[in-house]
Amino acid sequence: MEIIHVSAECYPVAKAGGLGDVVGALPKYQNELGHIAKVVMPMYKTKFLLDNVWDVVHKGRTNIGDYWFDYTVIKEQTNKLGFDLYLVDINGLLDREKVYGYDDDTERFTGFQVAVVDWIAVWAHHPDVIHVHDHHTGLIPFIIKHCYKYQHLHEIPTVLTIHNAQYQGIMGWDKSYLLPPWDSWKWGMLDWKNNINPLASGIKCAWKVTTVSMSYLEELRQSANGLEALFEYERGKCTGILNGIDTEVWDPGKDTYLQEHFSVDTVTAGKAKSKRRLCETFNLDISKPLIVFIGRLVGEKGADMLPAAISDSYYYIGRKMNFLILGSGFPEVETQLASLQKLAQKDYNVYIGYNESLSHLMYAGADYLLMPSRVEPCGLNQMYAMRYGTIPMVRRTGGLKDTVIDYGEKDGYGIVYNWASVGDITHSIWRAVDLFEDKEKISEVREKMMRLDFSWQHSVQQYLTLYGSLLPEKKEAPKAADEPAKE
């Protein structure tokens, strides 16, 4: 099969979250199984763009409303990511340093989607599947089905994967002119609650819809930022497929970001060396358990509860643990976390910002990873942590529920709690401190986690099966007249 992935992110080209990690890995493993998977994304001004060599494969001209633009499709020459990577350049629209956060993001991503379909429309052949990711590409199934210029593509199966339904790309109907001329009788395929909703449109128009974990799909029927009824109505076309992780990138035995490598057989000594490096860098006490948070400092991740949970832990449990925070997000959360540094007693530090190499070192050197998420469609951090022998402390929601079993339960290996509350977080920290004292038990838990398989192999096969269900059955070629019948 030939699969075209269309996404706003792809690691290591441009990444803002888990979407980038998935799109940077899934196509590679699909190719390894003998398929042809390609990625198409906007051309941002990134280091990856400048550090690599590109071929121009197409030049076109199209429009969003009365704004006509030239676009160029370039292809990375060496296939260094394990798949063909194409970037769409629209001068002045996509060539920005950041992925998101501009006032004209609606125009940027609408223009990107129109350019992608415009390019595919002139191919000499059709791909077997167009796989779009999140709301930034959610209008493509509608464009293919209901925009007159591109309706010759309507027989190409489309799959939409929802990485996070909280973000939907909503725009007013005054923006409808941005779409290529379309069948106005189909306005309902764009509309949700009197607005154009790209994510809702994708759910309605795509042939199949997937979410990045099974539990998240169930949760969306009760909590989907206003789309609950739509998920219930379209439940027949929806499937939950748990994300995997790229075990070639996330491997403590050969991680290029680490100076000290280790395996499941050397985890205790290996982690101790990385922990020492962290504690020396951030002025922490190596004798105490190290609890880290890695991610966006936003309400969705429960980051707003961290200052109170840390303070309460010191008050009720005592200063028996270290905390190290890596992330950025809400300014008020950043300020509160930074202010805690004044009270640190070699047991707290924070790094505001994004640092890929530091995140790898934290996964390797930490004893625990704290994830008090209110919403977690899949979560990759907990899988990275377990791969490095770091015990996840997670709220029972979404993909966290599907991947972490409490160590107090049969075959368990993590710390799990039910509510996104300061009290539950603080109690989990007490349990972490208690477990840390039991060296035999914590070694058993680490070994069990590191032997778990969160690779892409199983998930990739589920995607391929899903794609195959959308393709017409291939009929057996007729036998030649002189070909003998076989038993």
PDB file of all heavy atoms in Angstrom, residues 271 289-293 321-322 324 362-363 365-370 385 389-393 407 414-415 428-429 431-437 442 445-446:
ATOM      1  N   LYS A 271      21.239   3.863  36.015  1.00  0.00           N
ATOM      2  CA  LYS A 271      20.404   4.999  36.406  1.00  0.00           C
ATOM      3  C   LYS A 271      21.107   5.850  37.467  1.00  0.00           C
ATOM      4  O   LYS A 271      20.964   7.079  37.488  1.00  0.00           O
ATOM      5  CB  LYS A 271      19.046   4.518  36.936  1.00  0.00           C
ATOM      6  CG  LYS A 271      18.105   4.026  35.858  1.00  0.00           C
ATOM      7  CD  LYS A 271      16.725   3.681  36.400  1.00  0.00           C
ATOM      8  CE  LYS A 271      15.954   4.906  36.821  1.00  0.00           C
ATOM      9  NZ  LYS A 271      15.603   5.781  35.705  1.00  0.00           N
ATOM     10  N   PRO A 289      14.697  10.106  46.673  1.00  0.00           N
ATOM     11  CA  PRO A 289      14.050   9.776  45.391  1.00  0.00           C
ATOM     12  C   PRO A 289      13.864  11.036  44.557  1.00  0.00           C
ATOM     13  O   PRO A 289      13.514  12.096  45.084  1.00  0.00           O
ATOM     14  CB  PRO A 289      12.714   9.164  45.807  1.00  0.00           C
ATOM     15  CG  PRO A 289      12.476   9.657  47.198  1.00  0.00           C
ATOM     16  CD  PRO A 289      13.831   9.801  47.823  1.00  0.00           C
ATOM     17  N   LEU A 290      14.097  10.911  43.257  1.00  0.00           N
ATOM     18  CA  LEU A 290      13.971  12.042  42.336  1.00  0.00           C
ATOM     19  C   LEU A 290      12.684  11.890  41.528  1.00  0.00           C
ATOM     20  O   LEU A 290      12.535  10.947  40.745  1.00  0.00           O
ATOM     21  CB  LEU A 290      15.180  12.100  41.400  1.00  0.00           C
ATOM     22  CG  LEU A 290      15.156  13.157  40.294  1.00  0.00           C
ATOM     23  CD1 LEU A 290      14.940  14.553  40.873  1.00  0.00           C
ATOM     24  CD2 LEU A 290      16.435  13.106  39.465  1.00  0.00           C
ATOM     25  N   ILE A 291      11.766  12.819  41.744  1.00  0.00           N
ATOM     26  CA  ILE A 291      10.478  12.831  41.048  1.00  0.00           C
ATOM     27  C   ILE A 291      10.498  13.957  40.032  1.00  0.00           C
ATOM     28  O   ILE A 291      10.773  15.112  40.382  1.00  0.00           O
ATOM     29  CB  ILE A 291       9.321  13.043  42.042  1.00  0.00           C
ATOM     30  CG1 ILE A 291       9.310  11.924  43.097  1.00  0.00           C
ATOM     31  CG2 ILE A 291       7.979  13.097  41.311  1.00  0.00           C
ATOM     32  CD1 ILE A 291       8.333  12.165  44.247  1.00  0.00           C
ATOM     33  N   VAL A 292      10.220  13.643  38.766  1.00  0.00           N
ATOM     34  CA  VAL A 292      10.300  14.658  37.717  1.00  0.00           C
ATOM     35  C   VAL A 292       8.955  14.817  37.019  1.00  0.00           C
ATOM     36  O   VAL A 292       8.120  13.914  37.024  1.00  0.00           O
ATOM     37  CB  VAL A 292      11.397  14.314  36.670  1.00  0.00           C
ATOM     38  CG1 VAL A 292      12.751  14.155  37.333  1.00  0.00           C
ATOM     39  CG2 VAL A 292      11.033  13.058  35.871  1.00  0.00           C
ATOM     40  N   PHE A 293       8.780  15.985  36.435  1.00  0.00           N
ATOM     41  CA  PHE A 293       7.655  16.275  35.543  1.00  0.00           C
ATOM     42  C   PHE A 293       8.255  16.799  34.259  1.00  0.00           C
ATOM     43  O   PHE A 293       9.088  17.712  34.274  1.00  0.00           O
ATOM     44  CB  PHE A 293       6.723  17.316  36.161  1.00  0.00           C
ATOM     45  CG  PHE A 293       5.594  17.760  35.247  1.00  0.00           C
ATOM     46  CD1 PHE A 293       4.348  17.159  35.322  1.00  0.00           C
ATOM     47  CD2 PHE A 293       5.790  18.770  34.311  1.00  0.00           C
ATOM     48  CE1 PHE A 293       3.315  17.553  34.477  1.00  0.00           C
ATOM     49  CE2 PHE A 293       4.768  19.174  33.466  1.00  0.00           C
ATOM     50  CZ  PHE A 293       3.525  18.564  33.544  1.00  0.00           C
ATOM     51  N   MET A 321      12.134  13.972  49.464  1.00  0.00           N
ATOM     52  CA  MET A 321      12.189  13.710  48.025  1.00  0.00           C
ATOM     53  C   MET A 321      12.705  14.947  47.284  1.00  0.00           C
ATOM     54  O   MET A 321      12.661  16.065  47.789  1.00  0.00           O
ATOM     55  CB  MET A 321      10.800  13.309  47.506  1.00  0.00           C
ATOM     56  CG  MET A 321       9.772  14.431  47.410  1.00  0.00           C
ATOM     57  SD  MET A 321       9.314  15.284  48.936  1.00  0.00           S
ATOM     58  CE  MET A 321       8.333  14.008  49.728  1.00  0.00           C
ATOM     59  N   ASN A 322      13.225  14.700  46.075  1.00  0.00           N
ATOM     60  CA  ASN A 322      13.606  15.778  45.157  1.00  0.00           C
ATOM     61  C   ASN A 322      12.520  15.948  44.102  1.00  0.00           C
ATOM     62  O   ASN A 322      11.899  14.967  43.682  1.00  0.00           O
ATOM     63  CB  ASN A 322      14.903  15.435  44.397  1.00  0.00           C
ATOM     64  CG  ASN A 322      16.097  15.268  45.296  1.00  0.00           C
ATOM     65  OD1 ASN A 322      16.404  16.140  46.078  1.00  0.00           O
ATOM     66  ND2 ASN A 322      16.774  14.136  45.165  1.00  0.00           N
ATOM     67  N   LEU A 324      12.158  17.803  40.186  1.00  0.00           N
ATOM     68  CA  LEU A 324      12.780  18.521  39.073  1.00  0.00           C
ATOM     69  C   LEU A 324      11.734  18.651  37.972  1.00  0.00           C
ATOM     70  O   LEU A 324      11.181  17.650  37.509  1.00  0.00           O
ATOM     71  CB  LEU A 324      14.007  17.769  38.549  1.00  0.00           C
ATOM     72  CG  LEU A 324      14.744  18.402  37.360  1.00  0.00           C
ATOM     73  CD1 LEU A 324      15.236  19.799  37.697  1.00  0.00           C
ATOM     74  CD2 LEU A 324      15.911  17.517  36.919  1.00  0.00           C
ATOM     75  N   MET A 362      16.659  13.127  32.040  1.00  0.00           N
ATOM     76  CA  MET A 362      15.701  13.014  33.145  1.00  0.00           C
ATOM     77  C   MET A 362      14.993  11.670  33.132  1.00  0.00           C
ATOM     78  O   MET A 362      14.773  11.054  34.189  1.00  0.00           O
ATOM     79  CB  MET A 362      14.701  14.170  33.089  1.00  0.00           C
ATOM     80  CG  MET A 362      15.321  15.503  33.472  1.00  0.00           C
ATOM     81  SD  MET A 362      14.266  16.943  33.151  1.00  0.00           S
ATOM     82  CE  MET A 362      12.968  16.711  34.374  1.00  0.00           C
ATOM     83  N   TYR A 363      14.613  11.182  31.958  1.00  0.00           N
ATOM     84  CA  TYR A 363      14.011   9.851  31.894  1.00  0.00           C
ATOM     85  C   TYR A 363      14.993   8.800  32.409  1.00  0.00           C
ATOM     86  O   TYR A 363      14.602   7.836  33.084  1.00  0.00           O
ATOM     87  CB  TYR A 363      13.622   9.502  30.457  1.00  0.00           C
ATOM     88  CG  TYR A 363      12.390  10.215  29.955  1.00  0.00           C
ATOM     89  CD1 TYR A 363      12.458  11.045  28.833  1.00  0.00           C
ATOM     90  CD2 TYR A 363      11.164  10.065  30.579  1.00  0.00           C
ATOM     91  CE1 TYR A 363      11.327  11.709  28.362  1.00  0.00           C
ATOM     92  CE2 TYR A 363      10.032  10.716  30.119  1.00  0.00           C
ATOM     93  CZ  TYR A 363      10.127  11.543  29.004  1.00  0.00           C
ATOM     94  OH  TYR A 363       9.006  12.203  28.553  1.00  0.00           O
ATOM     95  N   GLY A 365      17.666   9.303  34.513  1.00  0.00           N
ATOM     96  CA  GLY A 365      18.164   9.463  35.867  1.00  0.00           C
ATOM     97  C   GLY A 365      17.108   9.552  36.953  1.00  0.00           C
ATOM     98  O   GLY A 365      17.420   9.385  38.136  1.00  0.00           O
ATOM     99  N   ALA A 366      15.875   9.817  36.594  1.00  0.00           N
ATOM    100  CA  ALA A 366      14.826   9.974  37.599  1.00  0.00           C
ATOM    101  C   ALA A 366      14.395   8.626  38.172  1.00  0.00           C
ATOM    102  O   ALA A 366      14.523   7.581  37.532  1.00  0.00           O
ATOM    103  CB  ALA A 366      13.625  10.692  36.995  1.00  0.00           C
ATOM    104  N   ASP A 367      13.868   8.683  39.367  1.00  0.00           N
ATOM    105  CA  ASP A 367      13.257   7.489  39.958  1.00  0.00           C
ATOM    106  C   ASP A 367      11.779   7.394  39.585  1.00  0.00           C
ATOM    107  O   ASP A 367      11.254   6.295  39.406  1.00  0.00           O
ATOM    108  CB  ASP A 367      13.397   7.544  41.481  1.00  0.00           C
ATOM    109  CG  ASP A 367      14.851   7.507  41.917  1.00  0.00           C
ATOM    110  OD1 ASP A 367      15.531   6.510  41.622  1.00  0.00           O
ATOM    111  OD2 ASP A 367      15.313   8.497  42.534  1.00  0.00           O
ATOM    112  N   TYR A 368      11.122   8.563  39.450  1.00  0.00           N
ATOM    113  CA  TYR A 368       9.685   8.595  39.161  1.00  0.00           C
ATOM    114  C   TYR A 368       9.372   9.706  38.163  1.00  0.00           C
ATOM    115  O   TYR A 368      10.016  10.756  38.153  1.00  0.00           O
ATOM    116  CB  TYR A 368       8.879   8.860  40.435  1.00  0.00           C
ATOM    117  CG  TYR A 368       9.036   7.823  41.519  1.00  0.00           C
ATOM    118  CD1 TYR A 368       9.943   8.017  42.561  1.00  0.00           C
ATOM    119  CD2 TYR A 368       8.287   6.649  41.509  1.00  0.00           C
ATOM    120  CE1 TYR A 368      10.090   7.073  43.562  1.00  0.00           C
ATOM    121  CE2 TYR A 368       8.431   5.700  42.507  1.00  0.00           C
ATOM    122  CZ  TYR A 368       9.336   5.911  43.528  1.00  0.00           C
ATOM    123  OH  TYR A 368       9.470   4.959  44.513  1.00  0.00           O
ATOM    124  N   LEU A 369       8.355   9.462  37.351  1.00  0.00           N
ATOM    125  CA  LEU A 369       7.812  10.485  36.446  1.00  0.00           C
ATOM    126  C   LEU A 369       6.382  10.772  36.869  1.00  0.00           C
ATOM    127  O   LEU A 369       5.542   9.871  36.915  1.00  0.00           O
ATOM    128  CB  LEU A 369       7.829  10.004  34.996  1.00  0.00           C
ATOM    129  CG  LEU A 369       7.144  10.950  33.996  1.00  0.00           C
ATOM    130  CD1 LEU A 369       8.034  12.163  33.725  1.00  0.00           C
ATOM    131  CD2 LEU A 369       6.806  10.230  32.693  1.00  0.00           C
ATOM    132  N   LEU A 370       6.089  12.039  37.167  1.00  0.00           N
ATOM    133  CA  LEU A 370       4.763  12.437  37.622  1.00  0.00           C
ATOM    134  C   LEU A 370       3.935  12.937  36.445  1.00  0.00           C
ATOM    135  O   LEU A 370       4.351  13.832  35.711  1.00  0.00           O
ATOM    136  CB  LEU A 370       4.899  13.540  38.676  1.00  0.00           C
ATOM    137  CG  LEU A 370       3.625  14.053  39.352  1.00  0.00           C
ATOM    138  CD1 LEU A 370       2.875  12.917  40.027  1.00  0.00           C
ATOM    139  CD2 LEU A 370       3.975  15.149  40.350  1.00  0.00           C
ATOM    140  N   ALA A 385       9.429   6.694  29.998  1.00  0.00           N
ATOM    141  CA  ALA A 385       9.930   6.514  31.363  1.00  0.00           C
ATOM    142  C   ALA A 385      10.141   5.039  31.683  1.00  0.00           C
ATOM    143  O   ALA A 385      11.199   4.644  32.201  1.00  0.00           O
ATOM    144  CB  ALA A 385       8.955   7.144  32.355  1.00  0.00           C
ATOM    145  N   GLY A 389      13.368   2.607  32.940  1.00  0.00           N
ATOM    146  CA  GLY A 389      13.325   2.155  34.321  1.00  0.00           C
ATOM    147  C   GLY A 389      12.846   3.191  35.310  1.00  0.00           C
ATOM    148  O   GLY A 389      13.102   3.076  36.512  1.00  0.00           O
ATOM    149  N   THR A 390      12.136   4.200  34.832  1.00  0.00           N
ATOM    150  CA  THR A 390      11.592   5.244  35.686  1.00  0.00           C
ATOM    151  C   THR A 390      10.107   4.976  35.912  1.00  0.00           C
ATOM    152  O   THR A 390       9.352   4.841  34.948  1.00  0.00           O
ATOM    153  CB  THR A 390      11.814   6.632  35.046  1.00  0.00           C
ATOM    154  OG1 THR A 390      13.220   6.889  34.980  1.00  0.00           O
ATOM    155  CG2 THR A 390      11.141   7.727  35.835  1.00  0.00           C
ATOM    156  N   ILE A 391       9.703   4.915  37.161  1.00  0.00           N
ATOM    157  CA  ILE A 391       8.346   4.486  37.508  1.00  0.00           C
ATOM    158  C   ILE A 391       7.360   5.623  37.278  1.00  0.00           C
ATOM    159  O   ILE A 391       7.521   6.717  37.828  1.00  0.00           O
ATOM    160  CB  ILE A 391       8.296   4.028  38.975  1.00  0.00           C
ATOM    161  CG1 ILE A 391       9.237   2.830  39.171  1.00  0.00           C
ATOM    162  CG2 ILE A 391       6.874   3.662  39.376  1.00  0.00           C
ATOM    163  CD1 ILE A 391       9.443   2.433  40.625  1.00  0.00           C
ATOM    164  N   PRO A 392       6.320   5.410  36.466  1.00  0.00           N
ATOM    165  CA  PRO A 392       5.321   6.456  36.223  1.00  0.00           C
ATOM    166  C   PRO A 392       4.332   6.579  37.376  1.00  0.00           C
ATOM    167  O   PRO A 392       3.894   5.580  37.950  1.00  0.00           O
ATOM    168  CB  PRO A 392       4.622   5.982  34.939  1.00  0.00           C
ATOM    169  CG  PRO A 392       4.760   4.492  34.968  1.00  0.00           C
ATOM    170  CD  PRO A 392       6.062   4.199  35.665  1.00  0.00           C
ATOM    171  N   MET A 393       4.007   7.826  37.710  1.00  0.00           N
ATOM    172  CA  MET A 393       2.984   8.134  38.724  1.00  0.00           C
ATOM    173  C   MET A 393       1.874   8.856  37.976  1.00  0.00           C
ATOM    174  O   MET A 393       1.977  10.047  37.693  1.00  0.00           O
ATOM    175  CB  MET A 393       3.571   9.019  39.820  1.00  0.00           C
ATOM    176  CG  MET A 393       4.799   8.430  40.494  1.00  0.00           C
ATOM    177  SD  MET A 393       5.737   9.685  41.427  1.00  0.00           S
ATOM    178  CE  MET A 393       4.499  10.222  42.602  1.00  0.00           C
ATOM    179  N   TYR A 407       1.402  -0.831  41.044  1.00  0.00           N
ATOM    180  CA  TYR A 407       2.271  -1.909  41.538  1.00  0.00           C
ATOM    181  C   TYR A 407       1.614  -2.706  42.663  1.00  0.00           C
ATOM    182  O   TYR A 407       2.058  -3.824  42.970  1.00  0.00           O
ATOM    183  CB  TYR A 407       3.631  -1.351  41.974  1.00  0.00           C
ATOM    184  CG  TYR A 407       3.658  -0.688  43.339  1.00  0.00           C
ATOM    185  CD1 TYR A 407       3.976  -1.436  44.478  1.00  0.00           C
ATOM    186  CD2 TYR A 407       3.402   0.661  43.493  1.00  0.00           C
ATOM    187  CE1 TYR A 407       4.013  -0.840  45.731  1.00  0.00           C
ATOM    188  CE2 TYR A 407       3.430   1.266  44.744  1.00  0.00           C
ATOM    189  CZ  TYR A 407       3.738   0.512  45.859  1.00  0.00           C
ATOM    190  OH  TYR A 407       3.772   1.102  47.096  1.00  0.00           O
ATOM    191  N   GLY A 414       3.452   0.434  38.313  1.00  0.00           N
ATOM    192  CA  GLY A 414       3.446   1.885  38.395  1.00  0.00           C
ATOM    193  C   GLY A 414       2.680   2.349  39.616  1.00  0.00           C
ATOM    194  O   GLY A 414       2.244   1.536  40.443  1.00  0.00           O
ATOM    195  N   ILE A 415       2.532   3.651  39.751  1.00  0.00           N
ATOM    196  CA  ILE A 415       1.701   4.234  40.805  1.00  0.00           C
ATOM    197  C   ILE A 415       0.546   4.958  40.116  1.00  0.00           C
ATOM    198  O   ILE A 415       0.762   5.860  39.307  1.00  0.00           O
ATOM    199  CB  ILE A 415       2.510   5.203  41.675  1.00  0.00           C
ATOM    200  CG1 ILE A 415       3.612   4.435  42.438  1.00  0.00           C
ATOM    201  CG2 ILE A 415       1.604   5.950  42.653  1.00  0.00           C
ATOM    202  CD1 ILE A 415       4.527   5.317  43.262  1.00  0.00           C
ATOM    203  N   SER A 428       0.147   9.993  46.123  1.00  0.00           N
ATOM    204  CA  SER A 428       1.003   9.187  45.245  1.00  0.00           C
ATOM    205  C   SER A 428       2.476   9.463  45.528  1.00  0.00           C
ATOM    206  O   SER A 428       3.319   8.563  45.429  1.00  0.00           O
ATOM    207  CB  SER A 428       0.675   9.467  43.777  1.00  0.00           C
ATOM    208  OG  SER A 428       1.183  10.718  43.357  1.00  0.00           O
ATOM    209  N   ILE A 429       2.795  10.703  45.902  1.00  0.00           N
ATOM    210  CA  ILE A 429       4.182  11.039  46.248  1.00  0.00           C
ATOM    211  C   ILE A 429       4.593  10.326  47.534  1.00  0.00           C
ATOM    212  O   ILE A 429       5.706   9.803  47.656  1.00  0.00           O
ATOM    213  CB  ILE A 429       4.340  12.572  46.379  1.00  0.00           C
ATOM    214  CG1 ILE A 429       4.166  13.219  44.990  1.00  0.00           C
ATOM    215  CG2 ILE A 429       5.688  12.941  46.989  1.00  0.00           C
ATOM    216  CD1 ILE A 429       4.048  14.733  45.014  1.00  0.00           C
ATOM    217  N   ARG A 431       3.426   7.471  48.509  1.00  0.00           N
ATOM    218  CA  ARG A 431       3.643   6.066  48.118  1.00  0.00           C
ATOM    219  C   ARG A 431       4.983   5.893  47.421  1.00  0.00           C
ATOM    220  O   ARG A 431       5.663   4.866  47.603  1.00  0.00           O
ATOM    221  CB  ARG A 431       2.513   5.591  47.198  1.00  0.00           C
ATOM    222  CG  ARG A 431       1.147   5.518  47.851  1.00  0.00           C
ATOM    223  CD  ARG A 431       0.128   4.936  46.891  1.00  0.00           C
ATOM    224  NE  ARG A 431       0.412   3.535  46.605  1.00  0.00           N
ATOM    225  CZ  ARG A 431       0.007   2.903  45.495  1.00  0.00           C
ATOM    226  NH1 ARG A 431      -0.678   3.548  44.570  1.00  0.00           N
ATOM    227  NH2 ARG A 431       0.305   1.636  45.312  1.00  0.00           N
ATOM    228  N   ALA A 432       5.371   6.890  46.609  1.00  0.00           N
ATOM    229  CA  ALA A 432       6.656   6.810  45.908  1.00  0.00           C
ATOM    230  C   ALA A 432       7.817   6.819  46.900  1.00  0.00           C
ATOM    231  O   ALA A 432       8.784   6.058  46.756  1.00  0.00           O
ATOM    232  CB  ALA A 432       6.778   7.973  44.932  1.00  0.00           C
ATOM    233  N   VAL A 433       7.738   7.676  47.900  1.00  0.00           N
ATOM    234  CA  VAL A 433       8.784   7.736  48.920  1.00  0.00           C
ATOM    235  C   VAL A 433       8.860   6.418  49.678  1.00  0.00           C
ATOM    236  O   VAL A 433       9.949   5.887  49.950  1.00  0.00           O
ATOM    237  CB  VAL A 433       8.517   8.911  49.887  1.00  0.00           C
ATOM    238  CG1 VAL A 433       9.489   8.864  51.066  1.00  0.00           C
ATOM    239  CG2 VAL A 433       8.641  10.242  49.150  1.00  0.00           C
ATOM    240  N   ASP A 434       7.704   5.857  49.990  1.00  0.00           N
ATOM    241  CA  ASP A 434       7.652   4.584  50.711  1.00  0.00           C
ATOM    242  C   ASP A 434       8.250   3.455  49.869  1.00  0.00           C
ATOM    243  O   ASP A 434       9.034   2.636  50.378  1.00  0.00           O
ATOM    244  CB  ASP A 434       6.194   4.267  51.073  1.00  0.00           C
ATOM    245  CG  ASP A 434       6.073   3.023  51.931  1.00  0.00           C
ATOM    246  OD1 ASP A 434       6.613   3.007  53.050  1.00  0.00           O
ATOM    247  OD2 ASP A 434       5.427   2.042  51.473  1.00  0.00           O
ATOM    248  N   LEU A 435       7.895   3.407  48.581  1.00  0.00           N
ATOM    249  CA  LEU A 435       8.432   2.367  47.697  1.00  0.00           C
ATOM    250  C   LEU A 435       9.936   2.501  47.533  1.00  0.00           C
ATOM    251  O   LEU A 435      10.656   1.497  47.446  1.00  0.00           O
ATOM    252  CB  LEU A 435       7.735   2.440  46.330  1.00  0.00           C
ATOM    253  CG  LEU A 435       8.232   1.485  45.243  1.00  0.00           C
ATOM    254  CD1 LEU A 435       8.054   0.030  45.671  1.00  0.00           C
ATOM    255  CD2 LEU A 435       7.484   1.730  43.923  1.00  0.00           C
ATOM    256  N   PHE A 436      10.432   3.716  47.500  1.00  0.00           N
ATOM    257  CA  PHE A 436      11.868   3.955  47.303  1.00  0.00           C
ATOM    258  C   PHE A 436      12.692   3.301  48.403  1.00  0.00           C
ATOM    259  O   PHE A 436      13.846   2.902  48.185  1.00  0.00           O
ATOM    260  CB  PHE A 436      12.130   5.460  47.253  1.00  0.00           C
ATOM    261  CG  PHE A 436      13.547   5.815  46.910  1.00  0.00           C
ATOM    262  CD1 PHE A 436      14.009   5.733  45.603  1.00  0.00           C
ATOM    263  CD2 PHE A 436      14.424   6.253  47.905  1.00  0.00           C
ATOM    264  CE1 PHE A 436      15.323   6.069  45.285  1.00  0.00           C
ATOM    265  CE2 PHE A 436      15.731   6.601  47.594  1.00  0.00           C
ATOM    266  CZ  PHE A 436      16.180   6.510  46.277  1.00  0.00           C
ATOM    267  N   GLU A 437      12.119   3.194  49.595  1.00  0.00           N
ATOM    268  CA  GLU A 437      12.840   2.600  50.717  1.00  0.00           C
ATOM    269  C   GLU A 437      12.971   1.086  50.572  1.00  0.00           C
ATOM    270  O   GLU A 437      13.831   0.471  51.207  1.00  0.00           O
ATOM    271  CB  GLU A 437      12.124   2.932  52.033  1.00  0.00           C
ATOM    272  CG  GLU A 437      12.041   4.424  52.338  1.00  0.00           C
ATOM    273  CD  GLU A 437      13.418   5.057  52.438  1.00  0.00           C
ATOM    274  OE1 GLU A 437      14.326   4.404  53.007  1.00  0.00           O
ATOM    275  OE2 GLU A 437      13.587   6.193  51.956  1.00  0.00           O
ATOM    276  N   ILE A 442      11.579  -2.076  44.468  1.00  0.00           N
ATOM    277  CA  ILE A 442      11.735  -1.098  43.393  1.00  0.00           C
ATOM    278  C   ILE A 442      12.575  -1.686  42.260  1.00  0.00           C
ATOM    279  O   ILE A 442      12.330  -1.400  41.082  1.00  0.00           O
ATOM    280  CB  ILE A 442      12.329   0.224  43.930  1.00  0.00           C
ATOM    281  CG1 ILE A 442      11.980   1.372  42.967  1.00  0.00           C
ATOM    282  CG2 ILE A 442      13.837   0.154  44.130  1.00  0.00           C
ATOM    283  CD1 ILE A 442      12.293   2.744  43.512  1.00  0.00           C
ATOM    284  N   VAL A 445      10.157  -3.848  40.271  1.00  0.00           N
ATOM    285  CA  VAL A 445       9.262  -3.037  39.445  1.00  0.00           C
ATOM    286  C   VAL A 445      10.002  -2.496  38.223  1.00  0.00           C
ATOM    287  O   VAL A 445       9.480  -2.519  37.102  1.00  0.00           O
ATOM    288  CB  VAL A 445       8.658  -1.886  40.282  1.00  0.00           C
ATOM    289  CG1 VAL A 445       7.920  -0.901  39.379  1.00  0.00           C
ATOM    290  CG2 VAL A 445       7.724  -2.434  41.347  1.00  0.00           C
ATOM    291  N   ARG A 446      11.219  -2.003  38.421  1.00  0.00           N
ATOM    292  CA  ARG A 446      11.991  -1.476  37.294  1.00  0.00           C
ATOM    293  C   ARG A 446      12.235  -2.537  36.230  1.00  0.00           C
ATOM    294  O   ARG A 446      12.084  -2.288  35.039  1.00  0.00           O
ATOM    295  CB  ARG A 446      13.332  -0.928  37.798  1.00  0.00           C
ATOM    296  CG  ARG A 446      13.254   0.443  38.445  1.00  0.00           C
ATOM    297  CD  ARG A 446      14.588   0.839  39.025  1.00  0.00           C
ATOM    298  NE  ARG A 446      14.561   2.206  39.544  1.00  0.00           N
ATOM    299  CZ  ARG A 446      15.463   2.706  40.359  1.00  0.00           C
ATOM    300  NH1 ARG A 446      16.485   1.937  40.765  1.00  0.00           N
ATOM    301  NH2 ARG A 446      15.385   3.955  40.771  1.00  0.00           N
TER     302      ARG A 446
END
